[in-house]
Amino acid sequence: MGEVLALVEARLRTALGEPDARAAVTFLGTDRIEVLRFVDGDLVRYATLGMSARPMADPTAVLADPVKGPRAELVLTVRAGLADTDKVLRPLAVLASTPQVEGVIVAPGASLDVGEPLWPDAPFSSVLVAESGGLVEDLELDGPMDPVRFLPLLPMTSNEAAWKRVHGAQALEERWLAHGTDLRDPLRRSVPLD
């Protein structure tokens, strides 16, 4: 477990540079989740560290495989200085602990909701999980372990989350693209959904 996390942290440092802050959160009955903060000009990136320590298990499986199964970490990017986004550390740790707590597999296209604003005055309480392989390359591990995927999180307003449940993740992403939505703006309004 520790070896996997050391490799994951090395991959994050290679892709994003040195973290300027880190915080750790532990929930009862779960492994410790750290959130690392990386500043890149006018962008702040938050990455979880700890979610990939164990593979995510199929909730219908009788026994969880301790070696095989999907592994992931979460990455959120926002514009710096517009909101108190450092308060996202705990909600990110909550999202990263979801596979252990709720027995779900976090994958691209999924919605995750923390039930409260991601940071003070944020218009978002949920995120859309995007495809990996962009900002931070997937990390191959020795077989039979699955690679660690670094999944970007795209904050969604409650209206966008409801619209996505009906129309799907791809339709929402296309709508964002068509309207030139700045998904890194921590104060943005909902995209037009009519």
Side-chain angles (χ1 to χ4, degrees):
M1 184 168 101
E3 184 179 320
V4 168
L5 294 183
L7 293 170
V8 168
E9 184 168 355
R11 175 57 54 95
L12 286 169
R13 287 173 185 265
T14 299
L16 305 176
E18 286 299 311
D20 75 332
R22 66 194 305 147
V25 180
T26 305
F27 303 102
L28 190 62
T30 67
D31 294 328
R32 171 183 159 128
I33 302 285
E34 287 190 86
V35 179
L36 282 58
R37 183 180 71 186
F38 302 86
V39 177
D40 180 14
D42 70 336
L43 298 177
V44 181
R45 302 184 198 284
Y46 301 94
T48 63
L49 179 62
M51 182 177 169
S52 62
R54 300 172 195 263
M56 292 181 272
D58 181 340
T60 62
V62 177
L63 288 175
D65 189 315
V67 178
K68 291 194 273 182
R71 293 174 189 256
E73 295 291 352
L74 307 175
V75 180
L76 173 70
T77 303
V78 292
R79 297 212 177 279
L82 301 176
D84 188 9
T85 56
D86 281 350
K87 297 285 195 292
V88 78
L89 301 178
R90 184 170 175 76
L92 269 182
V94 168
L95 295 177
S97 67
T98 302
Q100 285 184 59
V101 174
E102 297 181 19
V104 298
I105 294 177
V106 176
S111 299
L112 301 174
D113 196 315
V114 293
E116 61 185 36
L118 293 174
W119 51 82
D121 301 321
F124 323 103
S125 65
S126 63
V127 294
L128 174 64
V129 180
E131 291 287 340
S132 68
L135 185 63
V136 183
E137 284 184 42
D138 294 346
L139 173 64
E140 295 294 330
L141 300 173
D142 292 337
M145 292 188 285
D146 289 21
V148 176
R149 306 207 183 283
F150 297 88
L151 302 171
L153 299 180
L154 308 174
M156 294 187 291
T157 65
S158 57
N159 288 344
E160 290 169 339
W163 197 86
K164 180 250 175 200
R165 281 192 292 277
V166 174
H167 300 281
Q170 184 175 350
L172 179 58
E173 290 185 55
E174 288 170 1
R175 188 159 284 260
W176 281 335
L177 193 58
H179 288 274
T181 305
D182 180 2
L183 297 173
R184 295 173 174 171
D185 180 352
L187 301 173
R188 74 172 180 83
R189 298 202 183 284
S190 184
V191 71
L193 298 170
D194 45 353

PDB file of all heavy atoms in Angstrom, residues 70-87:
ATOM      1  N   PRO A  70      -9.874  -1.507 -10.278  1.00  0.00           N
ATOM      2  CA  PRO A  70      -9.503  -0.140 -10.658  1.00  0.00           C
ATOM      3  C   PRO A  70      -8.983   0.674  -9.478  1.00  0.00           C
ATOM      4  O   PRO A  70      -9.437   0.508  -8.348  1.00  0.00           O
ATOM      5  CB  PRO A  70     -10.813   0.452 -11.204  1.00  0.00           C
ATOM      6  CG  PRO A  70     -11.894  -0.440 -10.732  1.00  0.00           C
ATOM      7  CD  PRO A  70     -11.304  -1.767 -10.433  1.00  0.00           C
ATOM      8  N   ARG A  71      -8.006   1.520  -9.765  1.00  0.00           N
ATOM      9  CA  ARG A  71      -7.427   2.415  -8.765  1.00  0.00           C
ATOM     10  C   ARG A  71      -7.458   3.836  -9.342  1.00  0.00           C
ATOM     11  O   ARG A  71      -7.253   4.017 -10.542  1.00  0.00           O
ATOM     12  CB  ARG A  71      -5.979   2.044  -8.453  1.00  0.00           C
ATOM     13  CG  ARG A  71      -5.824   0.704  -7.760  1.00  0.00           C
ATOM     14  CD  ARG A  71      -4.347   0.350  -7.623  1.00  0.00           C
ATOM     15  NE  ARG A  71      -4.187  -1.016  -7.150  1.00  0.00           N
ATOM     16  CZ  ARG A  71      -3.860  -1.333  -5.907  1.00  0.00           C
ATOM     17  NH1 ARG A  71      -3.641  -0.397  -5.011  1.00  0.00           N
ATOM     18  NH2 ARG A  71      -3.734  -2.607  -5.553  1.00  0.00           N
ATOM     19  N   ALA A  72      -7.677   4.812  -8.461  1.00  0.00           N
ATOM     20  CA  ALA A  72      -7.743   6.191  -8.952  1.00  0.00           C
ATOM     21  C   ALA A  72      -7.399   7.181  -7.858  1.00  0.00           C
ATOM     22  O   ALA A  72      -7.451   6.865  -6.669  1.00  0.00           O
ATOM     23  CB  ALA A  72      -9.144   6.491  -9.490  1.00  0.00           C
ATOM     24  N   GLU A  73      -7.033   8.366  -8.288  1.00  0.00           N
ATOM     25  CA  GLU A  73      -6.918   9.550  -7.437  1.00  0.00           C
ATOM     26  C   GLU A  73      -7.695  10.657  -8.141  1.00  0.00           C
ATOM     27  O   GLU A  73      -7.942  10.583  -9.350  1.00  0.00           O
ATOM     28  CB  GLU A  73      -5.453   9.971  -7.232  1.00  0.00           C
ATOM     29  CG  GLU A  73      -4.599   8.979  -6.485  1.00  0.00           C
ATOM     30  CD  GLU A  73      -4.937   8.818  -5.001  1.00  0.00           C
ATOM     31  OE1 GLU A  73      -5.759   9.591  -4.471  1.00  0.00           O
ATOM     32  OE2 GLU A  73      -4.365   7.906  -4.381  1.00  0.00           O
ATOM     33  N   LEU A  74      -8.099  11.676  -7.396  1.00  0.00           N
ATOM     34  CA  LEU A  74      -8.930  12.754  -7.923  1.00  0.00           C
ATOM     35  C   LEU A  74      -8.122  14.047  -8.022  1.00  0.00           C
ATOM     36  O   LEU A  74      -7.308  14.337  -7.151  1.00  0.00           O
ATOM     37  CB  LEU A  74     -10.132  12.972  -7.003  1.00  0.00           C
ATOM     38  CG  LEU A  74     -10.955  11.717  -6.688  1.00  0.00           C
ATOM     39  CD1 LEU A  74     -12.042  12.037  -5.674  1.00  0.00           C
ATOM     40  CD2 LEU A  74     -11.542  11.116  -7.960  1.00  0.00           C
ATOM     41  N   VAL A  75      -8.359  14.815  -9.089  1.00  0.00           N
ATOM     42  CA  VAL A  75      -7.651  16.076  -9.298  1.00  0.00           C
ATOM     43  C   VAL A  75      -8.677  17.171  -9.627  1.00  0.00           C
ATOM     44  O   VAL A  75      -9.495  17.002 -10.531  1.00  0.00           O
ATOM     45  CB  VAL A  75      -6.625  15.970 -10.454  1.00  0.00           C
ATOM     46  CG1 VAL A  75      -5.896  17.293 -10.655  1.00  0.00           C
ATOM     47  CG2 VAL A  75      -5.633  14.840 -10.204  1.00  0.00           C
ATOM     48  N   LEU A  76      -8.634  18.260  -8.886  1.00  0.00           N
ATOM     49  CA  LEU A  76      -9.521  19.398  -9.103  1.00  0.00           C
ATOM     50  C   LEU A  76      -8.668  20.623  -9.406  1.00  0.00           C
ATOM     51  O   LEU A  76      -7.714  20.914  -8.676  1.00  0.00           O
ATOM     52  CB  LEU A  76     -10.363  19.657  -7.847  1.00  0.00           C
ATOM     53  CG  LEU A  76     -11.219  20.920  -7.853  1.00  0.00           C
ATOM     54  CD1 LEU A  76     -12.372  20.785  -8.839  1.00  0.00           C
ATOM     55  CD2 LEU A  76     -11.742  21.217  -6.461  1.00  0.00           C
ATOM     56  N   THR A  77      -9.005  21.342 -10.471  1.00  0.00           N
ATOM     57  CA  THR A  77      -8.273  22.558 -10.854  1.00  0.00           C
ATOM     58  C   THR A  77      -9.234  23.738 -10.851  1.00  0.00           C
ATOM     59  O   THR A  77     -10.304  23.667 -11.457  1.00  0.00           O
ATOM     60  CB  THR A  77      -7.657  22.400 -12.262  1.00  0.00           C
ATOM     61  OG1 THR A  77      -6.801  21.253 -12.275  1.00  0.00           O
ATOM     62  CG2 THR A  77      -6.857  23.635 -12.644  1.00  0.00           C
ATOM     63  N   VAL A  78      -8.850  24.815 -10.155  1.00  0.00           N
ATOM     64  CA  VAL A  78      -9.663  26.037 -10.109  1.00  0.00           C
ATOM     65  C   VAL A  78      -8.759  27.261 -10.258  1.00  0.00           C
ATOM     66  O   VAL A  78      -7.551  27.183 -10.031  1.00  0.00           O
ATOM     67  CB  VAL A  78     -10.476  26.149  -8.797  1.00  0.00           C
ATOM     68  CG1 VAL A  78     -11.548  25.092  -8.713  1.00  0.00           C
ATOM     69  CG2 VAL A  78      -9.577  26.098  -7.584  1.00  0.00           C
ATOM     70  N   ARG A  79      -9.372  28.384 -10.620  1.00  0.00           N
ATOM     71  CA  ARG A  79      -8.629  29.638 -10.710  1.00  0.00           C
ATOM     72  C   ARG A  79      -8.350  30.143  -9.303  1.00  0.00           C
ATOM     73  O   ARG A  79      -9.222  30.109  -8.434  1.00  0.00           O
ATOM     74  CB  ARG A  79      -9.408  30.672 -11.493  1.00  0.00           C
ATOM     75  CG  ARG A  79      -9.626  30.239 -12.914  1.00  0.00           C
ATOM     76  CD  ARG A  79      -9.680  31.389 -13.903  1.00  0.00           C
ATOM     77  NE  ARG A  79      -9.821  30.847 -15.247  1.00  0.00           N
ATOM     78  CZ  ARG A  79      -8.829  30.370 -15.981  1.00  0.00           C
ATOM     79  NH1 ARG A  79      -7.605  30.390 -15.510  1.00  0.00           N
ATOM     80  NH2 ARG A  79      -9.037  29.879 -17.178  1.00  0.00           N
ATOM     81  N   ALA A  80      -7.140  30.616  -9.096  1.00  0.00           N
ATOM     82  CA  ALA A  80      -6.722  31.073  -7.770  1.00  0.00           C
ATOM     83  C   ALA A  80      -7.262  32.461  -7.473  1.00  0.00           C
ATOM     84  O   ALA A  80      -7.481  33.268  -8.376  1.00  0.00           O
ATOM     85  CB  ALA A  80      -5.193  31.090  -7.695  1.00  0.00           C
ATOM     86  N   GLY A  81      -7.481  32.727  -6.183  1.00  0.00           N
ATOM     87  CA  GLY A  81      -7.784  34.068  -5.722  1.00  0.00           C
ATOM     88  C   GLY A  81      -9.213  34.544  -5.873  1.00  0.00           C
ATOM     89  O   GLY A  81      -9.531  35.664  -5.488  1.00  0.00           O
ATOM     90  N   LEU A  82     -10.097  33.740  -6.449  1.00  0.00           N
ATOM     91  CA  LEU A  82     -11.476  34.173  -6.654  1.00  0.00           C
ATOM     92  C   LEU A  82     -12.408  33.714  -5.534  1.00  0.00           C
ATOM     93  O   LEU A  82     -13.476  34.278  -5.344  1.00  0.00           O
ATOM     94  CB  LEU A  82     -12.002  33.651  -8.002  1.00  0.00           C
ATOM     95  CG  LEU A  82     -11.208  34.099  -9.235  1.00  0.00           C
ATOM     96  CD1 LEU A  82     -11.771  33.447 -10.489  1.00  0.00           C
ATOM     97  CD2 LEU A  82     -11.242  35.618  -9.366  1.00  0.00           C
ATOM     98  N   ALA A  83     -12.014  32.655  -4.830  1.00  0.00           N
ATOM     99  CA  ALA A  83     -12.846  32.101  -3.748  1.00  0.00           C
ATOM    100  C   ALA A  83     -11.925  31.386  -2.771  1.00  0.00           C
ATOM    101  O   ALA A  83     -10.765  31.096  -3.080  1.00  0.00           O
ATOM    102  CB  ALA A  83     -13.883  31.133  -4.319  1.00  0.00           C
ATOM    103  N   ASP A  84     -12.452  31.062  -1.600  1.00  0.00           N
ATOM    104  CA  ASP A  84     -11.675  30.365  -0.571  1.00  0.00           C
ATOM    105  C   ASP A  84     -11.685  28.861  -0.862  1.00  0.00           C
ATOM    106  O   ASP A  84     -12.237  28.065  -0.112  1.00  0.00           O
ATOM    107  CB  ASP A  84     -12.268  30.665   0.811  1.00  0.00           C
ATOM    108  CG  ASP A  84     -11.396  30.136   1.935  1.00  0.00           C
ATOM    109  OD1 ASP A  84     -10.257  29.684   1.661  1.00  0.00           O
ATOM    110  OD2 ASP A  84     -11.857  30.173   3.087  1.00  0.00           O
ATOM    111  N   THR A  85     -11.061  28.487  -1.987  1.00  0.00           N
ATOM    112  CA  THR A  85     -11.122  27.103  -2.444  1.00  0.00           C
ATOM    113  C   THR A  85     -10.303  26.144  -1.587  1.00  0.00           C
ATOM    114  O   THR A  85     -10.477  24.929  -1.705  1.00  0.00           O
ATOM    115  CB  THR A  85     -10.672  26.987  -3.917  1.00  0.00           C
ATOM    116  OG1 THR A  85      -9.361  27.543  -4.057  1.00  0.00           O
ATOM    117  CG2 THR A  85     -11.643  27.719  -4.831  1.00  0.00           C
ATOM    118  N   ASP A  86      -9.427  26.641  -0.719  1.00  0.00           N
ATOM    119  CA  ASP A  86      -8.673  25.730   0.150  1.00  0.00           C
ATOM    120  C   ASP A  86      -9.596  24.958   1.094  1.00  0.00           C
ATOM    121  O   ASP A  86      -9.207  23.913   1.623  1.00  0.00           O
ATOM    122  CB  ASP A  86      -7.608  26.481   0.950  1.00  0.00           C
ATOM    123  CG  ASP A  86      -6.365  26.773   0.122  1.00  0.00           C
ATOM    124  OD1 ASP A  86      -6.247  26.237  -1.005  1.00  0.00           O
ATOM    125  OD2 ASP A  86      -5.518  27.542   0.601  1.00  0.00           O
ATOM    126  N   LYS A  87     -10.802  25.443   1.272  1.00  0.00           N
ATOM    127  CA  LYS A  87     -11.769  24.724   2.113  1.00  0.00           C
ATOM    128  C   LYS A  87     -12.294  23.464   1.422  1.00  0.00           C
ATOM    129  O   LYS A  87     -13.079  22.716   1.981  1.00  0.00           O
ATOM    130  CB  LYS A  87     -12.942  25.640   2.474  1.00  0.00           C
ATOM    131  CG  LYS A  87     -12.550  26.848   3.309  1.00  0.00           C
ATOM    132  CD  LYS A  87     -12.267  26.463   4.747  1.00  0.00           C
ATOM    133  CE  LYS A  87     -12.226  27.602   5.716  1.00  0.00           C
ATOM    134  NZ  LYS A  87     -11.172  28.541   5.635  1.00  0.00           N
TER     135      LYS A  87
END
